[in-house]
Amino acid sequence: MRAQINKYFLIGLLAIGFLEACKVSKDTPTPQPELPVAFRNSVPTTDTTSIASLPWENFFTDASLKGLIDNAIRKNYDMQIALLNIETAKLQLRQAKLLNVPSATLNVTAGTTRPSDNSLNGISLSNFLGTQHLEDYNANLQFSWEADIWGKIRNQKRTALAAYLQTEESKKLVQTDIVTTVSKAFYNLLMLDEQMEVAQRNLKLNDSTLRIIRLQYDAGQVTLVAVQQAEAQQLTAAQLIPQIEQNMAVQENALRILSGELPAAIERHTKLNEYPLTEKLSTGIPSDMLSRRPDVKTSELALTMANAKVGVTKARMYPSLVITAQGGINAVKFSEWFQIPSSLFGLATGAIAQPLFQHKELKTQFEVAKIEREQSVIRFRQNVLDAVGEVSDALVKIEKLKSQYDIASNKVQTLQQAVHNANQLFESGRATYLEVIVAQSNVLQSELEISNLKRDQLYAVVDLYRSLGGGWR
């Protein structure tokens, strides 16, 4: 009889092992997105070298900017939250790794029951035990273990691991955003510095012109209208100064807050017109870009989690095998509670539970999980498409902004010469005050415009670096 029981037990274990090897659902593989041979506005190449492989400390050369980025990465509150999210996910991953280990519970109970004297229990206690109450003292360990027959626990582990990896990618994404935002803020400050110099230079030029026109007015050579128009031109240049100072202070405050600090001024020792632009910007090949971008990796991990969720919801529809064991000491008298071995007891059970009718809740959860998996596939494809588009946009901006900057530079040189000539002709009486004012107005706008173009060129380089997957190293 014992041998027969052992045989059935062995067969049961083999059956469980076989079932555990089964997968109740088939994973949807990560789709292979359609990628271009080369990014738009770039030449096809097999060179895998990319600026995105450079750590941000090597990509940026300005010491002040690197100090600001380093400070922001260390102190930014979003980064601190991301790091704490990683710690949370790490704890959950460790907990998920223990799902295959039996759970154990220690129970210690003591109780007494006093039945009615007229009840069957009361009469039995009085007649057979000579007492009116029944005591019970119990101390036991209870173990419970669920066989991972359909891979439910295995998929729960996969979900926890993917969630942990997602927090790592989220931290990379936060750092990339910090690097991008800080560098753009710094470049914007350099542009505002340049525009401040332009405004102050033009204000001095307007002052000089206004003095000459007033002298001519006093001499009766021009009307009051000439003086008023010259004053209006001077006020236009003067109005720019507090406007630029306001923008400068707001940008500095935003940069400090990004670094988790109180609003304050930002030191900078570089001029915008002296800031170098990198001539050679290697993009590598499009497929390498996907492995570097944290947002693409996050969407890929989301698909892994969706696959695991499908497996979990499917497994819940199948039978579950739970084995429990309990053992300890039990007695009806406290004095006999710890008498060994007479007070020892043990119990082992195995239970198979098959869900039958639960208002289609499990079936609905399974179908919803499959739909969510399809959504994850679509989001992954969309993220890849967006990533390729961002790189292409940045390359177009770099190329076209350079052309605009070259044209604007020639325009500024021409207008500066026009202002010089207009002033000389005006002083000799061969040009009107309107020609001088128009020339000064044009050069002011052109010099402001060229500073914007230089900043936008730097922005485009940063966008290319980020869109290729750089910034988190």
Side-chain angles (χ1 to χ4, degrees):
M1 182 67 179
R2 184 185 297 267
Q4 188 176 8
I5 294 175
N6 290 338
K7 180 179 70 173
Y8 289 144
F9 182 73
L10 180 60
I11 292 174
L13 288 178
L14 292 174
I16 291 173
F18 172 75
L19 290 173
E20 284 186 345
C22 298
K23 293 187 67 174
V24 297
S25 66
K26 184 178 180 181
D27 287 350
T28 296
T30 302
Q32 297 298 322
E34 183 179 356
L35 293 172
V37 178
F39 297 108
R40 185 177 180 181
N41 284 62
S42 65
V43 180
T45 179
T46 57
D47 185 8
T48 58
T49 304
S50 171
I51 56 173
S53 301
L54 294 174
W56 64 263
E57 297 97 329
N58 297 338
F59 181 75
F60 298 100
T61 58
D62 188 282
S64 298
L65 175 55
K66 290 198 287 186
L68 290 170
I69 294 175
D70 179 69
N71 191 49
I73 291 174
R74 287 185 294 104
K75 297 182 179 180
N76 178 263
Y77 288 129
D78 288 336
M79 177 62 76
Q80 294 178 35
I81 291 173
L83 293 174
L84 291 176
N85 288 338
I86 291 175
E87 292 301 315
T88 300
K90 188 181 297 183
L91 292 173
Q92 293 172 340
L93 177 60
R94 290 174 181 172
Q95 188 271 330
K97 289 181 178 179
L98 299 175
L99 291 175
N100 283 113
V101 179
S103 60
T105 305
L106 173 64
N107 300 300
V108 179
T109 60
T112 180
T113 302
R114 202 307 188 174
S116 168
D117 291 338
N118 295 327
S119 67
L120 179 62
N121 290 335
I123 295 172
S124 299
L125 285 174
S126 178
N127 292 337
F128 294 100
L129 298 179
T131 181
Q132 292 181 328
H133 64 275
L134 178 65
E135 297 178 355
D136 184 61
Y137 300 92
N138 190 304
N140 66 81
L141 276 174
Q142 182 175 352
F143 297 91
S144 178
W145 176 73
E146 180 179 356
D148 190 21
I149 298 176
W150 311 111
K152 179 172 64 178
I153 295 176
R154 182 171 62 252
N155 280 312
Q156 289 174 339
K157 290 181 179 180
R158 289 176 63 198
T159 300
L161 177 58
Y164 168 71
L165 295 177
Q166 271 193 333
T167 58
E168 291 279 4
E169 296 300 327
S170 295
K171 180 256 182 184
K172 294 178 183 177
L173 188 59
V174 170
Q175 178 169 320
T176 300
D177 289 341
I178 290 173
V179 170
T180 302
T181 305
V182 171
S183 59
K184 286 188 173 182
F186 182 76
Y187 295 149
N188 193 49
L189 285 174
L190 296 184
M191 182 209 68
L192 292 172
D193 289 340
E194 178 74 16
Q195 290 188 343
M196 179 63 76
E197 292 183 6
V198 169
Q200 291 173 342
R201 184 170 60 248
N202 277 271
L203 182 60
K204 292 179 180 179
L205 183 61
N206 293 147
D207 285 341
S208 176
T209 303
L210 180 59
R211 283 195 301 269
I212 296 174
I213 293 178
R214 280 175 175 166
L215 290 174
Q216 291 184 338
Y217 174 74
D218 293 338
Q221 297 177 358
V222 296
T223 65
L224 181 60
V225 174
V227 177
Q228 291 172 335
Q229 289 185 329
E231 288 176 344
Q233 178 63 24
Q234 181 201 38
L235 292 173
T236 298
Q239 184 182 0
L240 283 175
I241 294 177
Q243 180 182 341
I244 294 172
E245 289 174 340
Q246 171 189 319
N247 294 338
M248 198 177 294
V250 170
Q251 182 65 87
E252 288 176 328
N253 292 343
L255 192 49
R256 287 294 186 188
I257 291 173
L258 182 66
S259 301
E261 299 176 346
L262 293 173
I266 300 292
E267 290 188 8
R268 44 201 182 272
H269 308 287
T270 308
K271 291 188 176 182
L272 184 67
N273 58 3
E274 300 172 352
Y275 209 90
L277 280 172
T278 306
E279 294 294 331
K280 181 174 175 55
L281 297 171
S282 303
T283 60
I285 57 178
S287 58
D288 286 347
M289 176 265 298
L290 298 184
S291 63
R292 286 188 297 261
R293 285 193 50 136
D295 55 339
V296 175
K297 294 294 292 182
T298 298
S299 62
E300 185 177 349
L301 290 167
L303 176 57
T304 300
M305 295 174 67
N307 276 322
K309 186 176 180 180
V310 170
V312 170
T313 54
K314 183 69 173 178
R316 287 174 181 164
M317 301 168 63
Y318 287 84
S320 59
L321 172 61
V322 179
I323 298 174
T324 59
Q326 183 178 347
I329 51 178
N330 179 250
V332 296
K333 292 182 179 181
F334 182 79
S335 59
E336 299 175 351
W337 193 5
F338 295 98
Q339 289 183 3
I340 306 297
S342 57
S343 294
L344 290 174
F345 79 97
L347 175 67
T349 60
I352 296 178
Q354 168 63 55
L356 292 179
F357 179 70
Q358 296 184 352
H359 308 284
K360 294 189 68 175
E361 180 179 352
L362 298 180
K363 177 68 173 178
T364 300
Q365 290 176 354
F366 174 62
E367 295 298 332
V368 170
K370 290 197 297 182
I371 294 174
E372 290 175 347
R373 181 170 62 182
E374 293 176 9
Q375 292 174 336
S376 297
V377 172
I378 295 172
R379 291 191 190 99
F380 175 79
R381 294 184 182 277
Q382 184 63 57
N383 284 341
V384 172
L385 189 61
D386 291 341
V388 175
E390 288 175 2
V391 175
S392 300
D393 289 347
L395 288 170
V396 170
K397 288 179 182 178
I398 290 173
E399 178 183 347
K400 300 306 177 183
L401 284 170
K402 184 179 184 304
S403 300
Q404 294 178 57
Y405 183 82
D406 292 340
I407 295 171
S409 297
N410 293 331
K411 178 181 176 183
V412 167
Q413 292 177 2
T414 301
L415 290 173
Q416 287 173 342
Q417 186 62 42
V419 168
H420 176 74
N421 294 336
N423 284 330
Q424 287 187 334
L425 292 172
F426 178 67
E427 291 175 3
S428 62
R430 289 182 292 171
T432 66
Y433 69 91
L434 287 176
E435 292 174 309
V436 175
I437 291 175
V438 170
Q440 291 177 349
S441 177
N442 289 339
V443 78
L444 173 61
Q445 295 302 319
S446 297
E447 288 177 342
L448 294 175
E449 179 187 3
I450 199 171
S451 64
N452 277 323
L453 288 172
K454 181 61 179 290
R455 180 205 58 185
D456 291 345
Q457 282 183 289
L458 295 171
Y459 277 9
V461 172
V462 173
D463 285 338
L464 179 63
Y465 179 59
R466 180 200 58 79
S467 60
L468 288 170
W472 54 265
R473 286 182 174 86

mmCIF file of all heavy atoms in Angstrom, residues 82-100 153-168 305:
data_model
loop_
_atom_site.group_PDB
_atom_site.id
_atom_site.type_symbol
_atom_site.label_atom_id
_atom_site.label_comp_id
_atom_site.label_asym_id
_atom_site.label_seq_id
_atom_site.Cartn_x
_atom_site.Cartn_y
_atom_site.Cartn_z
ATOM 1 N N ALA A 82 13.320 59.848 -9.471
ATOM 2 C CA ALA A 82 13.619 58.718 -10.349
ATOM 3 C C ALA A 82 14.511 57.698 -9.647
ATOM 4 O O ALA A 82 14.323 56.481 -9.787
ATOM 5 C CB ALA A 82 14.288 59.215 -11.636
ATOM 6 N N LEU A 83 15.481 58.179 -8.883
ATOM 7 C CA LEU A 83 16.369 57.271 -8.148
ATOM 8 C C LEU A 83 15.589 56.509 -7.077
ATOM 9 O O LEU A 83 15.836 55.309 -6.848
ATOM 10 C CB LEU A 83 17.518 58.062 -7.518
ATOM 11 C CG LEU A 83 18.512 58.676 -8.507
ATOM 12 C CD1 LEU A 83 19.515 59.560 -7.777
ATOM 13 C CD2 LEU A 83 19.238 57.587 -9.289
ATOM 14 N N LEU A 84 14.653 57.188 -6.419
ATOM 15 C CA LEU A 84 13.835 56.507 -5.415
ATOM 16 C C LEU A 84 12.893 55.492 -6.068
ATOM 17 O O LEU A 84 12.613 54.434 -5.490
ATOM 18 C CB LEU A 84 13.027 57.535 -4.609
ATOM 19 C CG LEU A 84 13.848 58.432 -3.674
ATOM 20 C CD1 LEU A 84 12.956 59.476 -3.012
ATOM 21 C CD2 LEU A 84 14.562 57.601 -2.605
ATOM 22 N N ASN A 85 12.421 55.811 -7.264
ATOM 23 C CA ASN A 85 11.600 54.845 -7.998
ATOM 24 C C ASN A 85 12.386 53.583 -8.325
ATOM 25 O O ASN A 85 11.845 52.468 -8.302
ATOM 26 C CB ASN A 85 11.069 55.472 -9.290
ATOM 27 C CG ASN A 85 9.982 56.508 -9.036
ATOM 28 O OD1 ASN A 85 9.332 56.493 -7.998
ATOM 29 N ND2 ASN A 85 9.797 57.408 -9.978
ATOM 30 N N ILE A 86 13.666 53.754 -8.622
ATOM 31 C CA ILE A 86 14.525 52.593 -8.876
ATOM 32 C C ILE A 86 14.647 51.741 -7.623
ATOM 33 O O ILE A 86 14.564 50.505 -7.678
ATOM 34 C CB ILE A 86 15.919 53.054 -9.361
ATOM 35 C CG1 ILE A 86 15.819 53.667 -10.769
ATOM 36 C CG2 ILE A 86 16.904 51.886 -9.379
ATOM 37 C CD1 ILE A 86 17.115 54.250 -11.268
ATOM 38 N N GLU A 87 14.818 52.384 -6.470
ATOM 39 C CA GLU A 87 14.920 51.639 -5.217
ATOM 40 C C GLU A 87 13.625 50.892 -4.921
ATOM 41 O O GLU A 87 13.647 49.737 -4.465
ATOM 42 C CB GLU A 87 15.253 52.594 -4.067
ATOM 43 C CG GLU A 87 16.655 53.188 -4.140
ATOM 44 C CD GLU A 87 17.728 52.125 -4.132
ATOM 45 O OE1 GLU A 87 17.629 51.189 -3.302
ATOM 46 O OE2 GLU A 87 18.653 52.203 -4.958
ATOM 47 N N THR A 88 12.483 51.537 -5.177
ATOM 48 C CA THR A 88 11.197 50.877 -4.966
ATOM 49 C C THR A 88 11.056 49.652 -5.866
ATOM 50 O O THR A 88 10.663 48.566 -5.417
ATOM 51 C CB THR A 88 10.041 51.855 -5.237
ATOM 52 O OG1 THR A 88 10.141 52.971 -4.349
ATOM 53 C CG2 THR A 88 8.700 51.181 -5.046
ATOM 54 N N ALA A 89 11.381 49.820 -7.139
ATOM 55 C CA ALA A 89 11.280 48.708 -8.089
ATOM 56 C C ALA A 89 12.257 47.593 -7.736
ATOM 57 O O ALA A 89 11.955 46.403 -7.928
ATOM 58 C CB ALA A 89 11.534 49.211 -9.511
ATOM 59 N N LYS A 90 13.414 47.951 -7.213
ATOM 60 C CA LYS A 90 14.401 46.942 -6.822
ATOM 61 C C LYS A 90 13.865 46.091 -5.668
ATOM 62 O O LYS A 90 14.030 44.864 -5.652
ATOM 63 C CB LYS A 90 15.706 47.633 -6.410
ATOM 64 C CG LYS A 90 16.863 46.673 -6.182
ATOM 65 C CD LYS A 90 18.111 47.418 -5.742
ATOM 66 C CE LYS A 90 18.598 48.372 -6.820
ATOM 67 N NZ LYS A 90 19.857 49.055 -6.414
ATOM 68 N N LEU A 91 13.220 46.736 -4.706
ATOM 69 C CA LEU A 91 12.624 45.994 -3.590
ATOM 70 C C LEU A 91 11.513 45.068 -4.079
ATOM 71 O O LEU A 91 11.389 43.921 -3.624
ATOM 72 C CB LEU A 91 12.085 46.971 -2.541
ATOM 73 C CG LEU A 91 13.131 47.791 -1.772
ATOM 74 C CD1 LEU A 91 12.436 48.832 -0.908
ATOM 75 C CD2 LEU A 91 14.007 46.879 -0.916
ATOM 76 N N GLN A 92 10.699 45.564 -5.001
ATOM 77 C CA GLN A 92 9.619 44.740 -5.535
ATOM 78 C C GLN A 92 10.160 43.564 -6.339
ATOM 79 O O GLN A 92 9.581 42.473 -6.329
ATOM 80 C CB GLN A 92 8.691 45.606 -6.393
ATOM 81 C CG GLN A 92 7.913 46.644 -5.589
ATOM 82 C CD GLN A 92 7.149 47.620 -6.449
ATOM 83 O OE1 GLN A 92 7.456 47.778 -7.630
ATOM 84 N NE2 GLN A 92 6.152 48.277 -5.879
ATOM 85 N N LEU A 93 11.278 43.782 -7.030
ATOM 86 C CA LEU A 93 11.903 42.696 -7.782
ATOM 87 C C LEU A 93 12.433 41.624 -6.838
ATOM 88 O O LEU A 93 12.274 40.418 -7.090
ATOM 89 C CB LEU A 93 13.026 43.253 -8.656
ATOM 90 C CG LEU A 93 13.831 42.226 -9.461
ATOM 91 C CD1 LEU A 93 12.924 41.457 -10.415
ATOM 92 C CD2 LEU A 93 14.953 42.912 -10.231
ATOM 93 N N ARG A 94 13.070 42.043 -5.758
ATOM 94 C CA ARG A 94 13.558 41.074 -4.772
ATOM 95 C C ARG A 94 12.413 40.271 -4.174
ATOM 96 O O ARG A 94 12.540 39.063 -3.953
ATOM 97 C CB ARG A 94 14.317 41.807 -3.662
ATOM 98 C CG ARG A 94 15.650 42.396 -4.104
ATOM 99 C CD ARG A 94 16.260 43.223 -2.982
ATOM 100 N NE ARG A 94 17.525 43.831 -3.388
ATOM 101 C CZ ARG A 94 18.182 44.720 -2.656
ATOM 102 N NH1 ARG A 94 17.703 45.093 -1.473
ATOM 103 N NH2 ARG A 94 19.327 45.231 -3.080
ATOM 104 N N GLN A 95 11.302 40.950 -3.918
ATOM 105 C CA GLN A 95 10.147 40.257 -3.364
ATOM 106 C C GLN A 95 9.579 39.260 -4.375
ATOM 107 O O GLN A 95 9.189 38.140 -4.013
ATOM 108 C CB GLN A 95 9.085 41.277 -2.951
ATOM 109 C CG GLN A 95 7.907 40.689 -2.176
ATOM 110 C CD GLN A 95 6.784 40.226 -3.083
ATOM 111 O OE1 GLN A 95 6.585 40.779 -4.157
ATOM 112 N NE2 GLN A 95 6.050 39.213 -2.646
ATOM 113 N N ALA A 96 9.546 39.642 -5.661
ATOM 114 C CA ALA A 96 9.000 38.754 -6.688
ATOM 115 C C ALA A 96 9.847 37.497 -6.848
ATOM 116 O O ALA A 96 9.322 36.425 -7.168
ATOM 117 C CB ALA A 96 8.901 39.498 -8.024
ATOM 118 N N LYS A 97 11.149 37.602 -6.613
ATOM 119 C CA LYS A 97 12.030 36.437 -6.740
ATOM 120 C C LYS A 97 11.735 35.377 -5.692
ATOM 121 O O LYS A 97 12.163 34.226 -5.830
ATOM 122 C CB LYS A 97 13.480 36.877 -6.646
ATOM 123 C CG LYS A 97 13.979 37.664 -7.851
ATOM 124 C CD LYS A 97 15.430 38.061 -7.702
ATOM 125 C CE LYS A 97 15.920 38.810 -8.927
ATOM 126 N NZ LYS A 97 17.345 39.233 -8.802
ATOM 127 N N LEU A 98 11.004 35.749 -4.638
ATOM 128 C CA LEU A 98 10.685 34.809 -3.560
ATOM 129 C C LEU A 98 9.313 34.176 -3.726
ATOM 130 O O LEU A 98 8.858 33.454 -2.825
ATOM 131 C CB LEU A 98 10.753 35.532 -2.204
ATOM 132 C CG LEU A 98 12.106 36.120 -1.813
ATOM 133 C CD1 LEU A 98 11.985 36.890 -0.515
ATOM 134 C CD2 LEU A 98 13.162 35.025 -1.689
ATOM 135 N N LEU A 99 8.643 34.446 -4.863
ATOM 136 C CA LEU A 99 7.285 33.919 -5.034
ATOM 137 C C LEU A 99 7.255 32.402 -5.101
ATOM 138 O O LEU A 99 6.239 31.777 -4.772
ATOM 139 C CB LEU A 99 6.650 34.514 -6.297
ATOM 140 C CG LEU A 99 6.320 36.017 -6.235
ATOM 141 C CD1 LEU A 99 5.805 36.501 -7.576
ATOM 142 C CD2 LEU A 99 5.300 36.300 -5.144
ATOM 143 N N ASN A 100 8.349 31.750 -5.533
ATOM 144 C CA ASN A 100 8.395 30.293 -5.596
ATOM 145 C C ASN A 100 8.682 29.649 -4.242
ATOM 146 O O ASN A 100 8.551 28.439 -4.088
ATOM 147 C CB ASN A 100 9.460 29.834 -6.598
ATOM 148 C CG ASN A 100 8.989 29.992 -8.035
ATOM 149 O OD1 ASN A 100 9.518 30.789 -8.771
ATOM 150 N ND2 ASN A 100 7.981 29.216 -8.421
ATOM 151 N N ILE A 153 3.566 32.488 -11.776
ATOM 152 C CA ILE A 153 4.589 33.108 -10.935
ATOM 153 C C ILE A 153 5.773 33.558 -11.792
ATOM 154 O O ILE A 153 6.348 34.627 -11.570
ATOM 155 C CB ILE A 153 5.038 32.125 -9.840
ATOM 156 C CG1 ILE A 153 3.874 31.844 -8.887
ATOM 157 C CG2 ILE A 153 6.232 32.669 -9.072
ATOM 158 C CD1 ILE A 153 4.178 30.809 -7.823
ATOM 159 N N ARG A 154 6.112 32.739 -12.781
ATOM 160 C CA ARG A 154 7.220 33.112 -13.667
ATOM 161 C C ARG A 154 6.930 34.429 -14.380
ATOM 162 O O ARG A 154 7.807 35.288 -14.518
ATOM 163 C CB ARG A 154 7.457 31.994 -14.674
ATOM 164 C CG ARG A 154 8.617 32.252 -15.630
ATOM 165 C CD ARG A 154 8.953 31.031 -16.459
ATOM 166 N NE ARG A 154 7.842 30.619 -17.311
ATOM 167 C CZ ARG A 154 7.101 29.541 -17.113
ATOM 168 N NH1 ARG A 154 7.327 28.761 -16.078
ATOM 169 N NH2 ARG A 154 6.120 29.234 -17.952
ATOM 170 N N ASN A 155 5.705 34.619 -14.814
ATOM 171 C CA ASN A 155 5.338 35.867 -15.493
ATOM 172 C C ASN A 155 5.270 37.039 -14.521
ATOM 173 O O ASN A 155 5.551 38.179 -14.907
ATOM 174 C CB ASN A 155 4.001 35.691 -16.207
ATOM 175 C CG ASN A 155 4.142 34.964 -17.531
ATOM 176 O OD1 ASN A 155 5.003 35.291 -18.336
ATOM 177 N ND2 ASN A 155 3.306 33.960 -17.759
ATOM 178 N N GLN A 156 4.907 36.780 -13.290
ATOM 179 C CA GLN A 156 4.936 37.850 -12.298
ATOM 180 C C GLN A 156 6.370 38.328 -12.068
ATOM 181 O O GLN A 156 6.616 39.525 -11.888
ATOM 182 C CB GLN A 156 4.316 37.355 -10.989
ATOM 183 C CG GLN A 156 2.808 37.175 -11.065
ATOM 184 C CD GLN A 156 2.225 36.550 -9.811
ATOM 185 O OE1 GLN A 156 2.935 35.896 -9.049
ATOM 186 N NE2 GLN A 156 0.934 36.736 -9.600
ATOM 187 N N LYS A 157 7.306 37.396 -12.090
ATOM 188 C CA LYS A 157 8.723 37.771 -11.973
ATOM 189 C C LYS A 157 9.169 38.594 -13.180
ATOM 190 O O LYS A 157 9.916 39.573 -13.050
ATOM 191 C CB LYS A 157 9.584 36.520 -11.847
ATOM 192 C CG LYS A 157 9.436 35.763 -10.539
ATOM 193 C CD LYS A 157 10.364 34.560 -10.529
ATOM 194 C CE LYS A 157 10.267 33.785 -9.236
ATOM 195 N NZ LYS A 157 11.174 32.615 -9.221
ATOM 196 N N ARG A 158 8.725 38.183 -14.360
ATOM 197 C CA ARG A 158 9.067 38.935 -15.575
ATOM 198 C C ARG A 158 8.544 40.364 -15.491
ATOM 199 O O ARG A 158 9.219 41.314 -15.895
ATOM 200 C CB ARG A 158 8.488 38.257 -16.809
ATOM 201 C CG ARG A 158 9.156 36.950 -17.208
ATOM 202 C CD ARG A 158 8.427 36.319 -18.377
ATOM 203 N NE ARG A 158 8.489 37.167 -19.564
ATOM 204 C CZ ARG A 158 7.671 37.034 -20.609
ATOM 205 N NH1 ARG A 158 6.710 36.129 -20.584
ATOM 206 N NH2 ARG A 158 7.802 37.838 -21.641
ATOM 207 N N THR A 159 7.333 40.505 -14.985
ATOM 208 C CA THR A 159 6.744 41.838 -14.847
ATOM 209 C C THR A 159 7.561 42.695 -13.897
ATOM 210 O O THR A 159 7.842 43.872 -14.176
ATOM 211 C CB THR A 159 5.305 41.729 -14.330
ATOM 212 O OG1 THR A 159 4.525 40.971 -15.261
ATOM 213 C CG2 THR A 159 4.680 43.104 -14.172
ATOM 214 N N ALA A 160 7.954 42.115 -12.753
ATOM 215 C CA ALA A 160 8.742 42.868 -11.775
ATOM 216 C C ALA A 160 10.097 43.266 -12.344
ATOM 217 O O ALA A 160 10.573 44.393 -12.119
ATOM 218 C CB ALA A 160 8.927 42.041 -10.504
ATOM 219 N N LEU A 161 10.730 42.367 -13.095
ATOM 220 C CA LEU A 161 12.031 42.683 -13.693
ATOM 221 C C LEU A 161 11.890 43.788 -14.739
ATOM 222 O O LEU A 161 12.694 44.727 -14.779
ATOM 223 C CB LEU A 161 12.624 41.427 -14.329
ATOM 224 C CG LEU A 161 13.963 41.617 -15.069
ATOM 225 C CD1 LEU A 161 15.028 42.171 -14.141
ATOM 226 C CD2 LEU A 161 14.416 40.309 -15.714
ATOM 227 N N ALA A 162 10.869 43.688 -15.583
ATOM 228 C CA ALA A 162 10.658 44.718 -16.608
ATOM 229 C C ALA A 162 10.336 46.065 -15.968
ATOM 230 O O ALA A 162 10.792 47.109 -16.446
ATOM 231 C CB ALA A 162 9.537 44.296 -17.557
ATOM 232 N N ALA A 163 9.567 46.044 -14.882
ATOM 233 C CA ALA A 163 9.241 47.297 -14.184
ATOM 234 C C ALA A 163 10.503 47.926 -13.605
ATOM 235 O O ALA A 163 10.679 49.151 -13.642
ATOM 236 C CB ALA A 163 8.227 47.036 -13.081
ATOM 237 N N TYR A 164 11.380 47.094 -13.075
ATOM 238 C CA TYR A 164 12.658 47.607 -12.550
ATOM 239 C C TYR A 164 13.496 48.218 -13.666
ATOM 240 O O TYR A 164 14.051 49.318 -13.512
ATOM 241 C CB TYR A 164 13.421 46.484 -11.861
ATOM 242 C CG TYR A 164 14.852 46.829 -11.533
ATOM 243 C CD1 TYR A 164 15.160 47.740 -10.523
ATOM 244 C CD2 TYR A 164 15.905 46.259 -12.247
ATOM 245 C CE1 TYR A 164 16.477 48.067 -10.229
ATOM 246 C CE2 TYR A 164 17.218 46.581 -11.958
ATOM 247 C CZ TYR A 164 17.493 47.482 -10.955
ATOM 248 O OH TYR A 164 18.800 47.810 -10.674
ATOM 249 N N LEU A 165 13.588 47.524 -14.772
ATOM 250 C CA LEU A 165 14.378 48.037 -15.898
ATOM 251 C C LEU A 165 13.759 49.316 -16.453
ATOM 252 O O LEU A 165 14.473 50.206 -16.925
ATOM 253 C CB LEU A 165 14.485 46.972 -16.987
ATOM 254 C CG LEU A 165 15.266 45.708 -16.601
ATOM 255 C CD1 LEU A 165 15.229 44.697 -17.735
ATOM 256 C CD2 LEU A 165 16.710 46.049 -16.244
ATOM 257 N N GLN A 166 12.437 49.414 -16.393
ATOM 258 C CA GLN A 166 11.777 50.642 -16.845
ATOM 259 C C GLN A 166 12.176 51.831 -15.977
ATOM 260 O O GLN A 166 12.359 52.938 -16.490
ATOM 261 C CB GLN A 166 10.263 50.466 -16.830
ATOM 262 C CG GLN A 166 9.693 49.904 -18.115
ATOM 263 C CD GLN A 166 8.192 50.047 -18.172
ATOM 264 O OE1 GLN A 166 7.495 50.091 -17.165
ATOM 265 N NE2 GLN A 166 7.645 50.127 -19.376
ATOM 266 N N THR A 167 12.299 51.618 -14.670
ATOM 267 C CA THR A 167 12.718 52.722 -13.803
ATOM 268 C C THR A 167 14.147 53.151 -14.125
ATOM 269 O O THR A 167 14.476 54.334 -14.034
ATOM 270 C CB THR A 167 12.613 52.331 -12.322
ATOM 271 O OG1 THR A 167 13.426 51.172 -12.059
ATOM 272 C CG2 THR A 167 11.176 52.032 -11.938
ATOM 273 N N GLU A 168 14.976 52.198 -14.506
ATOM 274 C CA GLU A 168 16.342 52.550 -14.928
ATOM 275 C C GLU A 168 16.305 53.411 -16.183
ATOM 276 O O GLU A 168 17.032 54.407 -16.295
ATOM 277 C CB GLU A 168 17.153 51.276 -15.178
ATOM 278 C CG GLU A 168 17.486 50.454 -13.942
ATOM 279 C CD GLU A 168 18.685 51.015 -13.193
ATOM 280 O OE1 GLU A 168 19.203 52.083 -13.599
ATOM 281 O OE2 GLU A 168 19.101 50.399 -12.196
ATOM 282 N N MET A 305 6.165 43.501 -20.356
ATOM 283 C CA MET A 305 5.200 43.466 -19.253
ATOM 284 C C MET A 305 3.818 43.061 -19.756
ATOM 285 O O MET A 305 3.092 42.324 -19.072
ATOM 286 C CB MET A 305 5.147 44.827 -18.571
ATOM 287 C CG MET A 305 6.445 45.228 -17.888
ATOM 288 S SD MET A 305 6.419 46.912 -17.227
ATOM 289 C CE MET A 305 5.197 46.742 -15.925
#
